[in-house]
Amino acid sequence: MHSLRVHKVIDRMISFFRRIGIWYGEDRPSTSQLGLTSCIYYALFPISLSIGAITKESVDESIFLAEASIIASVMATKIWMLLWKQKQIMKILNRICFFSIRNDEEFAFFNDKVEKFIKFVNVYGCAAIVGSLGCSVFPFFGNTKSLLVDIAFPLDWKNSEIGFWVAYIFFTSENAVTFLSMAFSVIVWYLLLLCSLRYKILGMEIRDVGRITGGGKEKILEKEQQTIFRRDLVASIEAYLHLKELIDEVDSFLSKVFLLQFATSGLCICSSIYCLAFDVSVNSVERIIHFYTFFYNIAELFMITYLGNEIMLSSNITYSLFETKWIAQPHSTQKCLIIFGEYLKRSHVMLIGKLYPLTLETFTRILKSSYTLFNILKNVNVKQ
């Protein structure tokens, strides 16, 4: 028997939140004054970008700033959820991540999948740090000092030295707060991954229903074998219903933020394609920014839909049920097996806003809608 808990990397992330005062312990309030200040402060970033998009004379620059303001607004929502929903996040993490695996093979399979995900998270974190450092040092390259994004700011940072440094500190500090949003995304991906893996582990356990795992070779009467099979079957049914309830809880908690991502991803991807296709950039650095935002929008959307799709596929464990020694069971047990098998045929699909399934099909639909919007913008640009 192997007992599992929250992975050490996620656990260290949570400990870091508590150490810097963003999160408190379970017996204290869900957020702190620092967390409240961070949330209010970051809300200024999408406001600044939105005002910049409205006041810009160039349509191309307005489109890019509008896209950036949408991305920042989604990030602000994630930061708000991370700071104010600590108790719910910890409750879901504890319920999803703390469980037991009986078989060594299943334990090795689970560890392999989780460690591969953690390696991806490490690469993602390093890329985010490199990108953040690049944004911080960009203003000092070239003959004139300029910010990475032409934000609206009360001070004239283009012509005033003091105004530039104040705007630079504002932009850099906002960039640092963005890491909270990325941390929330990592926790969400980890939860979705564990949901799919727990379905796969359950399928492996159902396949071993009624089998004696001990090393003893003593003969067991047929009636006793049938009793063990029925006991394990009942335990598997209870485990399945419990897991389904947990994933429904995850779905309910994340539904609103996923719906917001679905609603905005199409616009952001369309804007990124437009900026790259019509080369609205002034220099190569801005082209890199447009490519980065395009990749970021695609990656964020793909990760949640891919993991949601994995939950749907791994929840279809009917075949595992009929890999058991069901033929040797009495009629009453076989009847229960057939009913349970019919129930298992309905894959567990997470519905966002009770309308959109969290699957790769939704991912492709959003990409198609983005391409349609791009064609509309392209036709408008050609006519002008």
Side-chain angles (χ1 to χ4, degrees):
M1 183 73 72
H2 302 276
S3 297
L4 298 169
R5 59 187 300 277
V6 179
H7 194 275
K8 58 183 180 181
V9 172
I10 306 298
D11 195 41
R12 287 172 186 168
M13 188 186 300
I14 294 170
S15 299
F16 177 74
F17 292 158
R18 290 175 176 163
R19 192 177 299 116
I20 63 177
I22 291 176
W23 274 17
Y24 279 141
E26 296 179 359
D27 57 337
R28 300 182 69 182
S30 59
T31 191
S32 64
Q33 188 175 0
L34 176 61
L36 177 63
T37 304
S38 300
C39 195
I40 296 174
Y41 182 65
Y42 192 77
L44 298 175
F45 197 43
I47 293 173
S48 177
L49 292 168
S50 300
I51 295 174
I54 295 171
T55 56
K56 281 293 175 184
E57 296 181 358
S58 171
V59 176
D60 294 337
E61 290 186 10
S62 296
I63 290 174
F64 172 67
L65 288 174
E67 176 198 1
S69 67
I70 292 172
I71 295 174
S73 299
V74 176
M75 286 185 168
T77 304
K78 291 181 179 181
I79 293 171
W80 179 86
M81 290 190 69
L82 180 69
L83 297 177
W84 262 262
K85 301 293 183 179
Q86 173 197 346
K87 290 183 178 179
Q88 285 181 262
I89 293 172
M90 289 305 304
K91 180 183 176 182
I92 292 173
L93 275 172
N94 291 334
R95 297 191 68 189
I96 293 291
C97 303
F98 286 83
F99 66 103
S100 300
I101 297 178
R102 291 178 293 182
N103 193 291
D104 292 338
E105 180 185 352
E106 297 162 6
F107 179 70
F109 168 80
F110 179 87
N111 271 346
D112 179 62
K113 293 293 184 180
V114 172
E115 289 302 326
K116 286 181 179 177
F117 170 77
I118 294 300
K119 288 179 181 178
F120 167 77
V121 168
N122 291 333
V123 173
Y124 174 78
C126 292
I129 292 172
V130 171
S132 178
L133 291 175
C135 294
S136 300
V137 301
F138 168 77
F140 305 104
F141 286 96
N143 297 325
T144 58
K145 294 180 181 179
S146 63
L147 296 179
L148 191 66
V149 181
D150 195 4
I151 59 174
F153 200 72
L155 301 179
D156 185 12
W157 59 269
K158 294 182 179 179
N159 300 315
S160 169
E161 184 73 16
I162 296 175
F164 167 79
W165 282 108
V166 174
Y168 173 77
I169 292 171
F170 170 77
F171 179 79
T172 305
S173 56
E174 292 284 7
N175 198 20
V177 179
T178 301
F179 281 100
L180 295 178
S181 169
M182 296 180 178
F184 179 79
S185 295
V186 169
I187 293 174
V188 169
W189 298 344
Y190 180 68
L191 282 172
L192 295 178
L193 174 70
L194 258 64
C195 289
S196 65
L197 289 179
R198 286 195 62 170
Y199 263 128
K200 291 179 180 179
I201 296 298
L202 180 60
M204 295 177 181
E205 291 179 349
I206 289 176
R207 185 185 58 195
D208 296 332
V209 163
R211 295 180 183 178
I212 308 299
T213 57
K217 297 183 178 179
E218 63 275 7
K219 293 183 178 179
I220 300 177
L221 297 175
E222 182 180 357
K223 190 172 183 180
E224 189 175 351
Q225 288 181 342
Q226 292 174 355
T227 302
I228 294 173
F229 185 94
R230 190 175 183 87
R231 181 197 64 197
D232 291 348
L233 178 62
V234 171
S236 297
I237 293 173
E238 291 175 350
Y240 175 81
L241 294 175
H242 177 65
L243 180 56
K244 193 173 185 300
E245 179 186 349
L246 290 180
I247 297 177
D248 285 338
E249 185 178 342
V250 175
D251 187 5
S252 176
F253 176 67
L254 298 174
S255 181
K256 291 181 180 179
V257 68
F258 284 169
L259 184 61
L260 179 62
Q261 277 195 266
F262 282 0
T264 57
S265 293
L267 293 172
C268 293
I269 293 171
C270 170
S271 173
S272 297
I273 296 173
Y274 177 86
C275 293
L276 289 170
F278 290 96
D279 196 18
V280 301
S281 310
V282 177
N283 51 50
S284 58
V285 176
E286 289 192 10
R287 294 186 187 95
I288 294 173
I289 297 171
H290 295 320
F291 180 79
Y292 177 80
T293 55
F294 173 73
F295 176 77
Y296 173 80
N297 291 320
I298 293 286
E300 280 278 345
L301 184 63
F302 175 77
M303 283 299 297
I304 60 174
T305 52
Y306 171 77
L307 292 170
N309 198 75
E310 284 295 300
I311 293 174
M312 180 190 69
L313 295 177
S314 59
S315 64
N316 190 359
I317 51 181
T318 310
Y319 188 76
S320 297
L321 186 64
F322 291 100
E323 284 185 304
T324 62
K325 297 180 180 179
W326 61 273
I327 297 177
Q329 306 308 313
H331 180 71
S332 59
T333 305
Q334 290 182 357
K335 187 175 180 180
C336 291
L337 277 165
I338 293 172
I339 295 172
F340 186 38
E342 289 296 321
Y343 190 75
L344 289 177
K345 285 182 179 179
R346 295 181 294 178
S347 298
H348 193 161
V349 179
M350 297 177 69
L351 285 177
I352 307 306
K354 299 182 180 179
L355 292 172
Y356 306 103
L358 192 66
T359 60
L360 288 175
E361 182 182 357
T362 303
F363 175 72
T364 56
R365 286 170 58 188
I366 292 175
L367 291 185
K368 288 179 181 178
S369 65
S370 300
Y371 182 70
T372 302
L373 289 172
F374 167 72
N375 281 331
I376 294 173
L377 283 176
K378 182 180 69 173
N379 292 334
V380 171
N381 192 310
V382 170
K383 289 179 181 179
Q384 290 178 348

